[in-house]
Amino acid sequence: MKLLTIVGARPQFIKAASVSRAIQQYNHNNSNPIQEIILHTGQHYDKNMSDVFFSEMQIPQPNYHLGIGGSSHGAMTGRMLEKIEEVIFQEKPDVVLVYGDTNSTLAGSLAAVKLHIPVAHVEAGLRSFNINMPEEVNRVLTDQISKWLFCPTETAVKNLQNEGIAERTQALISNVGDVMYDAVLFYRKIAKPTDKISSLIDKLSGNFYLATVHRAENTDDPIRFSNIMDALNNISETTPVVLPLHPRTRKLLGSDYRSQVRLIEPVGYFDMITLLSHCQGVFTDSGGLQKEAFFFKKPCVTLRDETEWVELVEHGVNILAGSSRETIIGAEKLIIQEHKNYSNPLYGDGSAAQKIITSLMEAF
Ligand code: UD1
Ligand code: UDP
Protein backbone atom coordinates (compact mmCIF):
# COMPACT_ATOMS: atom_id res chain seq x y z
CA MET A 1 0.00 0.00 0.00
CA LYS A 2 1.23 3.46 -0.85
CA LEU A 3 0.24 6.12 1.66
CA LEU A 4 0.64 9.85 1.15
CA THR A 5 0.92 11.63 4.51
CA ILE A 6 0.19 15.35 4.47
CA VAL A 7 1.49 17.54 7.26
CA GLY A 8 2.34 21.22 7.58
CA ALA A 9 1.79 22.57 11.09
CA ARG A 10 3.49 21.84 14.43
CA PRO A 11 0.82 19.61 16.01
CA GLN A 12 0.68 17.53 12.84
CA PHE A 13 4.37 16.64 13.05
CA ILE A 14 3.77 15.33 16.57
CA LYS A 15 0.73 13.29 15.49
CA ALA A 16 2.46 11.99 12.36
CA ALA A 17 5.49 10.89 14.41
CA SER A 18 3.35 8.22 16.12
CA VAL A 19 1.88 6.95 12.86
CA SER A 20 5.22 6.88 11.02
CA ARG A 21 6.66 4.85 13.86
CA ALA A 22 3.71 2.42 13.66
CA ILE A 23 4.36 2.09 9.90
CA GLN A 24 8.01 1.29 10.53
CA GLN A 25 7.00 -1.35 13.08
CA TYR A 26 4.49 -2.82 10.66
CA ASN A 27 7.11 -2.99 7.90
CA HIS A 28 9.55 -4.66 10.27
CA ASN A 29 7.08 -7.47 10.97
CA ASN A 30 5.47 -7.92 7.55
CA SER A 31 6.67 -8.93 4.13
CA ASN A 32 4.16 -6.65 2.40
CA PRO A 33 5.46 -3.20 3.41
CA ILE A 34 3.61 0.11 3.48
CA GLN A 35 5.29 2.79 1.42
CA GLU A 36 4.87 6.13 3.19
CA ILE A 37 5.45 9.30 1.19
CA ILE A 38 5.53 12.42 3.36
CA LEU A 39 4.47 15.80 2.00
CA HIS A 40 5.19 18.91 4.10
CA THR A 41 3.14 21.86 2.89
CA GLY A 42 5.44 24.38 4.61
CA GLN A 43 2.60 25.97 6.58
CA HIS A 44 4.98 26.13 9.56
CA TYR A 45 8.51 26.84 8.48
CA ASP A 46 10.68 28.29 11.30
CA LYS A 47 13.30 25.85 12.53
CA ASN A 48 11.69 25.63 15.97
CA MET A 49 8.20 25.23 14.48
CA SER A 50 9.16 22.45 12.06
CA ASP A 51 12.70 21.00 11.70
CA VAL A 52 13.21 20.41 15.41
CA PHE A 53 10.28 17.96 15.47
CA PHE A 54 11.55 15.93 12.50
CA SER A 55 15.00 15.56 14.02
CA GLU A 56 14.07 14.96 17.69
CA MET A 57 11.15 12.65 16.99
CA GLN A 58 12.96 10.86 14.13
CA ILE A 59 10.20 11.47 11.65
CA PRO A 60 11.36 10.50 8.15
CA GLN A 61 12.34 13.59 6.15
CA PRO A 62 9.56 14.79 3.84
CA ASN A 63 9.74 13.56 0.25
CA TYR A 64 8.08 16.80 -0.84
CA HIS A 65 8.31 20.24 0.73
CA LEU A 66 5.96 22.77 -0.85
CA GLY A 67 7.19 25.84 1.05
CA ILE A 68 3.70 27.35 1.24
CA GLY A 69 3.22 29.28 4.48
CA GLY A 70 2.65 32.71 5.92
CA SER A 71 -0.24 33.87 3.73
CA SER A 72 -4.01 34.31 4.09
CA HIS A 73 -6.35 31.33 4.44
CA GLY A 74 -7.53 31.34 0.84
CA ALA A 75 -4.14 31.95 -0.73
CA MET A 76 -2.45 29.31 1.41
CA THR A 77 -5.14 26.66 0.96
CA GLY A 78 -5.48 27.32 -2.78
CA ARG A 79 -1.75 27.12 -3.45
CA MET A 80 -1.49 23.94 -1.41
CA LEU A 81 -4.42 22.38 -3.28
CA GLU A 82 -2.75 22.96 -6.62
CA LYS A 83 0.64 21.59 -5.55
CA ILE A 84 -0.73 18.59 -3.64
CA GLU A 85 -2.72 17.63 -6.73
CA GLU A 86 0.50 17.54 -8.75
CA VAL A 87 2.10 15.23 -6.16
CA ILE A 88 -0.94 12.94 -6.17
CA PHE A 89 -0.79 12.71 -9.97
CA GLN A 90 2.86 11.79 -9.73
CA GLU A 91 2.75 9.37 -6.78
CA LYS A 92 -0.67 7.76 -7.34
CA PRO A 93 -1.13 6.85 -3.65
CA ASP A 94 -3.73 4.34 -2.47
CA VAL A 95 -4.65 6.52 0.52
CA VAL A 96 -4.07 10.11 1.60
CA LEU A 97 -3.62 10.56 5.35
CA VAL A 98 -4.41 13.93 6.93
CA TYR A 99 -4.33 15.12 10.54
CA GLY A 100 -6.39 17.49 12.62
CA ASP A 101 -7.87 20.73 11.39
CA THR A 102 -5.38 23.04 9.73
CA ASN A 103 -5.40 24.56 6.26
CA SER A 104 -2.96 21.79 5.26
CA THR A 105 -5.58 19.22 6.35
CA LEU A 106 -8.29 20.73 4.19
CA ALA A 107 -6.05 21.22 1.16
CA GLY A 108 -4.82 17.61 1.39
CA SER A 109 -8.24 16.05 1.78
CA LEU A 110 -9.82 18.15 -0.96
CA ALA A 111 -7.04 17.50 -3.45
CA ALA A 112 -7.30 13.76 -2.80
CA VAL A 113 -11.07 13.32 -2.91
CA LYS A 114 -11.35 15.20 -6.21
CA LEU A 115 -8.97 12.65 -7.71
CA HIS A 116 -10.92 9.75 -6.12
CA ILE A 117 -8.14 8.87 -3.72
CA PRO A 118 -9.66 7.80 -0.39
CA VAL A 119 -8.83 10.01 2.57
CA ALA A 120 -8.05 8.87 6.11
CA HIS A 121 -8.64 11.58 8.71
CA VAL A 122 -6.81 11.25 12.01
CA GLU A 123 -8.51 13.21 14.81
CA ALA A 124 -11.89 13.08 13.12
CA GLY A 125 -15.17 14.12 14.72
CA LEU A 126 -13.97 16.92 16.95
CA ARG A 127 -16.30 19.88 17.14
CA SER A 128 -16.27 23.23 18.90
CA PHE A 129 -19.61 24.11 17.25
CA ASN A 130 -18.12 27.53 16.60
CA ILE A 131 -18.07 27.92 12.84
CA ASN A 132 -16.14 31.19 13.13
CA MET A 133 -13.04 29.18 13.96
CA PRO A 134 -11.02 28.36 10.83
CA GLU A 135 -10.24 24.99 12.42
CA GLU A 136 -13.94 24.11 12.71
CA VAL A 137 -14.45 24.77 9.00
CA ASN A 138 -11.42 22.65 8.12
CA ARG A 139 -12.40 19.65 10.22
CA VAL A 140 -16.11 19.65 9.36
CA LEU A 141 -15.31 19.70 5.64
CA THR A 142 -12.55 17.11 5.94
CA ASP A 143 -14.85 14.73 7.82
CA GLN A 144 -17.45 15.07 5.06
CA ILE A 145 -15.03 13.82 2.40
CA SER A 146 -13.02 11.20 4.28
CA LYS A 147 -13.43 7.45 3.99
CA TRP A 148 -11.76 6.56 7.30
CA LEU A 149 -12.70 8.72 10.27
CA PHE A 150 -10.27 7.88 13.05
CA CYS A 151 -11.70 9.47 16.18
CA PRO A 152 -9.68 10.10 19.34
CA THR A 153 -12.65 10.00 21.76
CA GLU A 154 -16.17 8.63 22.18
CA THR A 155 -17.49 12.20 22.00
CA ALA A 156 -15.97 12.57 18.56
CA VAL A 157 -17.71 9.35 17.42
CA LYS A 158 -21.03 10.68 18.75
CA ASN A 159 -20.56 14.00 16.97
CA LEU A 160 -20.17 12.17 13.66
CA GLN A 161 -23.14 9.91 14.38
CA ASN A 162 -25.27 12.97 15.15
CA GLU A 163 -24.29 14.44 11.80
CA GLY A 164 -25.26 11.21 10.02
CA ILE A 165 -22.02 11.17 8.06
CA ALA A 166 -21.67 7.38 7.84
CA GLU A 167 -25.15 7.00 6.30
CA ARG A 168 -24.44 9.65 3.72
CA THR A 169 -20.88 8.83 2.75
CA GLN A 170 -20.32 5.22 3.86
CA ALA A 171 -17.37 6.45 5.90
CA LEU A 172 -15.85 4.07 8.42
CA ILE A 173 -15.93 5.59 11.88
CA SER A 174 -13.83 4.21 14.72
CA ASN A 175 -12.56 5.35 18.08
CA VAL A 176 -8.88 4.45 18.02
CA GLY A 177 -7.74 6.77 20.80
CA ASP A 178 -5.43 9.73 20.51
CA VAL A 179 -2.12 9.54 18.64
CA MET A 180 -0.86 12.37 20.88
CA TYR A 181 -1.20 10.02 23.84
CA ASP A 182 0.87 7.43 21.94
CA ALA A 183 3.51 10.14 21.42
CA VAL A 184 3.69 11.14 25.08
CA LEU A 185 4.00 7.51 26.22
CA PHE A 186 6.85 6.85 23.82
CA TYR A 187 8.85 10.10 23.93
CA ARG A 188 8.63 10.85 27.64
CA LYS A 189 10.99 7.91 28.20
CA ILE A 190 13.67 9.30 25.91
CA ALA A 191 13.12 13.07 25.99
CA LYS A 192 16.22 15.04 26.87
CA PRO A 193 15.66 18.76 27.37
CA THR A 194 18.07 21.42 26.12
CA ASP A 195 20.44 23.02 28.66
CA LYS A 196 18.47 26.24 28.37
CA ILE A 197 15.22 24.63 29.52
CA SER A 198 16.93 22.50 32.19
CA SER A 199 18.47 25.57 33.77
CA LEU A 200 15.22 27.53 33.56
CA ILE A 201 13.41 24.72 35.41
CA ASP A 202 16.22 24.56 38.01
CA LYS A 203 16.09 28.30 38.49
CA LEU A 204 12.34 28.21 39.08
CA SER A 205 12.61 25.07 41.27
CA GLY A 206 9.65 23.60 39.42
CA ASN A 207 7.40 26.33 40.78
CA PHE A 208 5.88 27.73 37.59
CA TYR A 209 2.95 27.55 35.21
CA LEU A 210 3.32 26.73 31.53
CA ALA A 211 1.29 28.83 29.10
CA THR A 212 0.74 29.08 25.33
CA VAL A 213 -1.44 31.52 23.35
CA HIS A 214 -1.75 31.45 19.58
CA ARG A 215 -5.34 30.82 18.53
CA ALA A 216 -6.79 33.23 15.97
CA GLU A 217 -9.88 33.97 18.08
CA ASN A 218 -7.55 35.35 20.80
CA THR A 219 -4.73 36.88 18.78
CA ASP A 220 -7.00 38.54 16.20
CA ASP A 221 -9.10 40.20 18.90
CA PRO A 222 -7.17 42.98 20.70
CA ILE A 223 -9.49 43.01 23.72
CA ARG A 224 -9.39 39.26 24.29
CA PHE A 225 -5.65 39.23 23.75
CA SER A 226 -4.87 42.06 26.15
CA ASN A 227 -7.16 40.55 28.83
CA ILE A 228 -5.35 37.22 28.57
CA MET A 229 -1.88 38.79 28.72
CA ASP A 230 -2.99 40.98 31.68
CA ALA A 231 -4.26 37.93 33.55
CA LEU A 232 -1.05 35.97 32.94
CA ASN A 233 0.96 39.00 34.08
CA ASN A 234 -1.07 39.20 37.24
CA ILE A 235 -0.61 35.48 37.98
CA SER A 236 3.15 35.86 37.35
CA GLU A 237 3.41 38.17 40.33
CA THR A 238 2.97 35.19 42.65
CA THR A 239 3.90 32.19 40.48
CA PRO A 240 6.17 32.55 37.43
CA VAL A 241 4.52 31.86 34.07
CA VAL A 242 6.68 30.43 31.26
CA LEU A 243 5.24 31.18 27.83
CA PRO A 244 6.89 29.77 24.67
CA LEU A 245 5.66 32.27 22.12
CA HIS A 246 4.13 31.11 18.84
CA PRO A 247 5.52 33.35 16.04
CA ARG A 248 2.02 34.66 15.39
CA THR A 249 1.83 35.93 18.98
CA ARG A 250 5.41 37.19 18.94
CA LYS A 251 4.67 39.30 15.87
CA LEU A 252 1.63 40.75 17.59
CA LEU A 253 3.48 41.68 20.76
CA GLY A 254 6.44 43.18 18.93
CA SER A 255 10.06 42.83 20.04
CA ASP A 256 9.97 45.57 22.71
CA TYR A 257 7.01 44.13 24.64
CA ARG A 258 7.95 43.78 28.32
CA SER A 259 6.07 41.77 30.90
CA GLN A 260 6.40 39.75 34.09
CA VAL A 261 5.61 36.63 32.04
CA ARG A 262 8.73 34.73 31.00
CA LEU A 263 8.48 34.85 27.23
CA ILE A 264 10.68 32.33 25.46
CA GLU A 265 11.07 31.14 21.88
CA PRO A 266 8.90 28.18 20.79
CA VAL A 267 10.53 25.03 22.09
CA GLY A 268 10.92 21.52 20.68
CA TYR A 269 8.78 18.61 21.82
CA PHE A 270 11.37 17.28 24.27
CA ASP A 271 11.63 20.65 26.00
CA MET A 272 7.88 20.96 25.98
CA ILE A 273 7.21 17.64 27.68
CA THR A 274 9.95 18.39 30.20
CA LEU A 275 8.30 21.73 31.00
CA LEU A 276 4.97 19.92 31.27
CA SER A 277 6.30 17.33 33.66
CA HIS A 278 7.74 20.00 36.01
CA CYS A 279 5.08 22.72 35.94
CA GLN A 280 2.28 23.28 38.46
CA GLY A 281 -0.39 23.74 35.84
CA VAL A 282 -1.13 24.94 32.32
CA PHE A 283 -2.83 28.00 30.81
CA THR A 284 -3.47 27.55 27.12
CA ASP A 285 -5.66 28.01 24.08
CA SER A 286 -3.94 25.08 22.34
CA GLY A 287 -5.88 21.93 21.55
CA GLY A 288 -2.95 19.57 21.95
CA LEU A 289 -1.67 21.08 25.16
CA GLN A 290 -5.01 20.65 26.96
CA LYS A 291 -4.66 16.90 26.57
CA GLU A 292 -0.96 16.81 27.33
CA ALA A 293 -1.66 18.62 30.62
CA PHE A 294 -3.99 15.70 31.43
CA PHE A 295 -1.39 13.09 30.38
CA PHE A 296 1.06 14.73 32.80
CA LYS A 297 -1.61 15.02 35.51
CA LYS A 298 -1.53 18.81 35.54
CA PRO A 299 -4.57 21.06 35.93
CA CYS A 300 -5.39 23.16 32.88
CA VAL A 301 -7.07 26.53 32.43
CA THR A 302 -8.28 26.85 28.86
CA LEU A 303 -8.21 30.36 27.43
CA ARG A 304 -11.19 29.80 25.17
CA ASP A 305 -14.98 29.90 25.36
CA GLU A 306 -15.40 26.32 24.22
CA THR A 307 -13.27 23.22 23.76
CA GLU A 308 -13.40 20.14 21.55
CA TRP A 309 -11.95 18.13 24.45
CA VAL A 310 -15.11 18.32 26.54
CA GLU A 311 -14.30 15.20 28.58
CA LEU A 312 -11.51 17.11 30.33
CA VAL A 313 -13.97 19.73 31.53
CA GLU A 314 -16.50 17.04 32.51
CA HIS A 315 -13.83 15.30 34.60
CA GLY A 316 -12.97 18.56 36.35
CA VAL A 317 -9.32 18.72 35.23
CA ASN A 318 -9.83 21.58 32.80
CA ILE A 319 -11.56 24.91 33.39
CA LEU A 320 -12.89 26.91 30.47
CA ALA A 321 -11.95 30.44 31.44
CA GLY A 322 -12.51 32.27 28.15
CA SER A 323 -10.71 35.59 27.92
CA SER A 324 -11.99 37.41 30.99
CA ARG A 325 -9.14 38.64 33.17
CA GLU A 326 -11.04 37.96 36.40
CA THR A 327 -12.18 34.48 35.33
CA ILE A 328 -8.65 33.44 34.38
CA ILE A 329 -7.20 34.71 37.65
CA GLY A 330 -10.08 33.06 39.56
CA ALA A 331 -9.57 29.80 37.68
CA GLU A 332 -5.97 29.64 38.88
CA LYS A 333 -7.08 29.57 42.51
CA LEU A 334 -9.81 27.05 41.88
CA ILE A 335 -7.76 24.67 39.83
CA ILE A 336 -4.75 24.66 42.10
CA GLN A 337 -6.71 24.07 45.27
CA GLU A 338 -8.92 21.19 44.26
CA HIS A 339 -7.79 17.58 44.18
CA LYS A 340 -8.16 16.16 40.67
CA ASN A 341 -8.60 12.67 39.31
CA TYR A 342 -6.47 11.88 36.27
CA SER A 343 -6.96 8.13 36.28
CA ASN A 344 -9.67 7.81 33.59
CA PRO A 345 -8.34 6.51 30.27
CA LEU A 346 -10.02 9.21 28.18
CA TYR A 347 -7.76 8.95 25.14
CA GLY A 348 -7.28 5.26 24.49
CA ASP A 349 -4.54 2.87 25.49
CA GLY A 350 -1.56 4.29 23.63
CA SER A 351 -1.98 2.16 20.52
CA ALA A 352 -3.98 4.58 18.36
CA ALA A 353 -1.39 4.69 15.58
CA GLN A 354 -1.16 0.91 15.44
CA LYS A 355 -4.95 0.65 15.21
CA ILE A 356 -4.99 3.15 12.35
CA ILE A 357 -2.41 1.17 10.38
CA THR A 358 -4.19 -2.14 11.07
CA SER A 359 -7.50 -0.69 9.85
CA LEU A 360 -5.96 0.67 6.66
CA MET A 361 -4.12 -2.57 5.92
CA GLU A 362 -7.31 -4.59 6.39
CA ALA A 363 -8.84 -2.56 3.58
CA PHE A 364 -6.02 -3.32 1.13
C1 UD1 B 1 -2.26 26.95 12.58
C2 UD1 B 1 -3.61 26.26 12.52
C3 UD1 B 1 -4.13 26.03 13.94
C4 UD1 B 1 -3.11 25.33 14.80
C5 UD1 B 1 -1.78 26.03 14.73
C6 UD1 B 1 -0.74 25.20 15.44
C7 UD1 B 1 -4.94 26.85 10.56
C8 UD1 B 1 -6.13 27.60 10.07
N1 UD1 B 1 -4.60 27.07 11.84
O1 UD1 B 1 -2.46 28.23 13.16
O2 UD1 B 1 -5.29 25.23 13.87
O3 UD1 B 1 -3.56 25.34 16.13
O4 UD1 B 1 -1.37 26.17 13.36
O5 UD1 B 1 0.34 25.93 15.86
O6 UD1 B 1 -4.37 26.09 9.82
N2 UD1 B 1 4.45 31.95 11.42
C9 UD1 B 1 5.80 32.14 11.40
N3 UD1 B 1 6.61 31.03 11.35
C10 UD1 B 1 6.12 29.77 11.32
C11 UD1 B 1 4.73 29.59 11.32
C12 UD1 B 1 3.90 30.69 11.37
O7 UD1 B 1 6.31 33.25 11.44
O8 UD1 B 1 6.90 28.81 11.28
C13 UD1 B 1 3.57 33.15 11.50
C14 UD1 B 1 3.27 33.75 10.13
O9 UD1 B 1 3.18 35.13 10.29
C15 UD1 B 1 1.88 33.23 9.85
C16 UD1 B 1 1.28 33.19 11.25
O10 UD1 B 1 2.35 32.80 12.09
O11 UD1 B 1 1.17 34.05 8.97
C17 UD1 B 1 0.13 32.23 11.40
O12 UD1 B 1 0.48 30.94 10.91
P1 UD1 B 1 -0.63 29.98 10.29
O13 UD1 B 1 -0.01 28.70 9.94
O14 UD1 B 1 -1.40 30.70 9.25
O15 UD1 B 1 -1.65 29.79 11.49
P2 UD1 B 1 -1.39 29.36 13.00
O16 UD1 B 1 -1.83 30.46 13.87
O17 UD1 B 1 -0.01 28.85 13.17
N1 UDP C 1 4.44 22.52 21.47
C1 UDP C 1 5.82 22.46 21.37
N2 UDP C 1 6.52 23.61 21.57
C2 UDP C 1 5.94 24.80 21.87
C3 UDP C 1 4.52 24.84 21.96
C4 UDP C 1 3.80 23.69 21.73
O1 UDP C 1 6.39 21.40 21.12
O2 UDP C 1 6.65 25.80 22.04
C5 UDP C 1 3.67 21.29 21.23
C6 UDP C 1 2.71 20.92 22.32
O3 UDP C 1 3.35 20.22 23.35
C7 UDP C 1 1.71 20.07 21.56
C8 UDP C 1 1.64 20.74 20.21
O4 UDP C 1 2.84 21.50 20.10
O5 UDP C 1 2.20 18.76 21.38
C9 UDP C 1 0.46 21.64 20.16
O6 UDP C 1 0.54 22.46 19.06
P1 UDP C 1 -0.16 23.87 18.96
O7 UDP C 1 -0.51 24.39 20.30
O8 UDP C 1 0.71 24.69 18.09
O9 UDP C 1 -1.45 23.53 18.10
P2 UDP C 1 -2.90 23.00 18.47
O10 UDP C 1 -2.75 21.74 19.25
O11 UDP C 1 -3.59 24.08 19.23
O12 UDP C 1 -3.54 22.81 17.15
Side-chain angles (χ1 to χ4, degrees):
M1 178 182 62
K2 194 180 204 180
L3 186 95
L4 176 64
T5 294
I6 295 181
V7 290
R10 174 167 67 187
Q12 294 170 327
F13 310 139
I14 293 157
K15 292 164 197 171
S18 295
V19 177
S20 283
R21 210 158 38 75
I23 292 174
Q24 284 157 26
Q25 266 162 13
Y26 178 91
N27 287 350
H28 186 72
N29 299 325
N30 288 277
S31 52
N32 173 23
I34 300 169
Q35 188 188 355
E36 185 185 27
I37 308 286
I38 299 182
L39 181 154
H40 185 328
T41 61
Q43 181 170 350
H44 286 176
Y45 45 87
D46 292 345
K47 241 179 157 39
N48 54 6
M49 293 293 289
S50 175
D51 291 1
V52 65
F53 299 97
F54 284 84
S55 55
E56 275 185 344
M57 302 178 90
Q58 298 188 340
I59 308 168
Q61 282 304 310
N63 305 77
Y64 295 88
H65 197 301
L66 305 185
I68 301 170
S71 47
S72 65
H73 288 285
M76 186 194 296
T77 314
R79 290 177 63 210
M80 286 176 188
L81 186 59
E82 185 180 359
K83 293 289 168 198
I84 293 170
E85 186 177 67
E86 285 171 17
V87 173
I88 295 177
F89 275 134
Q90 191 166 325
E91 292 290 345
K92 301 183 178 49
D94 297 302
V95 179
V96 166
L97 186 62
V98 296
Y99 293 88
D101 53 22
T102 72
N103 291 341
S104 302
T105 316
L106 179 60
S109 56
L110 200 49
V113 78
K114 293 251 182 178
L115 297 177
H116 306 293
I117 308 293
V119 176
H121 185 202
V122 177
E123 216 180 64
L126 294 183
R127 297 290 181 266
S128 64
F129 302 102
N130 174 359
I131 203 67
N132 289 323
M133 285 178 73
E135 292 85 1
E136 184 78 353
V137 176
N138 292 339
R139 58 188 164 228
V140 166
L141 295 178
T142 297
D143 284 341
Q144 294 289 332
I145 55 180
S146 295
K147 169 153 187 194
W148 289 272
L149 294 167
F150 293 118
C151 300
T153 61
E154 244 350 272
T155 308
V157 172
K158 286 197 188 109
N159 287 338
L160 294 173
Q161 285 167 345
N162 291 342
E163 289 174 16
I165 285 187
E167 290 76 36
R168 260 199 330 279
T169 68
Q170 263 79 59
L172 303 165
I173 301 174
S174 55
N175 177 5
V176 291
D178 194 330
V179 289
M180 289 190 101
Y181 183 44
D182 298 15
V184 161
L185 290 181
F186 181 77
Y187 291 103
R188 73 187 303 170
K189 290 187 245 154
I190 56 167
K192 281 206 180 65
T194 57
D195 292 347
K196 223 172 166 175
I197 291 300
S198 283
S199 52
L200 177 63
I201 292 171
D202 285 349
K203 199 161 133 198
L204 300 175
S205 314
N207 182 32
F208 67 95
Y209 294 126
L210 177 62
T212 71
V213 184
H214 76 274
R215 206 149 287 280
E217 74 217 55
N218 287 329
T219 53
D220 287 353
D221 180 331
I223 297 175
R224 287 184 72 96
F225 187 60
S226 87
N227 284 346
I228 289 171
M229 292 310 292
D230 269 7
L232 295 180
N233 247 311
N234 182 288
I235 291 164
S236 285
E237 283 168 15
T238 44
T239 305
V241 175
V242 175
L243 171 49
L245 267 185
H246 190 289
R248 176 189 195 111
T249 319
R250 166 55 80 197
K251 280 178 191 157
L252 194 65
L253 288 173
S255 51
D256 48 2
Y257 176 82
R258 294 286 168 270
S259 122
Q260 292 261 21
V261 178
R262 282 164 197 260
L263 304 175
I264 60 173
E265 294 291 307
V267 296
Y269 188 68
F270 287 0
D271 276 347
M272 198 62 182
I273 58 179
T274 309
L275 284 164
L276 268 163
S277 67
H278 286 86
C279 73
Q280 300 298 313
V282 172
F283 291 79
T284 191
D285 60 6
S286 158
L289 204 56
Q290 290 176 58
K291 288 171 294 163
E292 288 169 340
F294 174 75
F295 302 149
F296 283 91
K297 302 185 172 25
K298 308 291 173 166
C300 181
V301 176
T302 296
L303 308 168
R304 290 181 50 196
D305 299 330
E306 69 281 306
T307 178
E308 301 76 26
W309 307 103
V310 287
E311 51 289 321
L312 295 172
V313 178
E314 285 159 12
H315 282 78
V317 295
N318 186 330
I319 290 180
L320 273 182
S323 63
S324 140
R325 187 178 178 278
E326 283 64 41
T327 316
I328 298 167
I329 295 168
E332 185 220 353
K333 302 207 166 47
L334 218 74
I335 209 157
I336 297 312
Q337 281 159 12
E338 282 175 23
H339 178 71
K340 311 273 178 245
N341 178 2
Y342 295 94
S343 60
N344 293 297
L346 302 177
Y347 298 102
D349 60 5
S351 63
Q354 205 187 319
K355 289 189 178 116
I356 288 167
I357 293 307
T358 307
S359 272
L360 292 177
M361 285 316 284
E362 273 167 14
F364 286 90

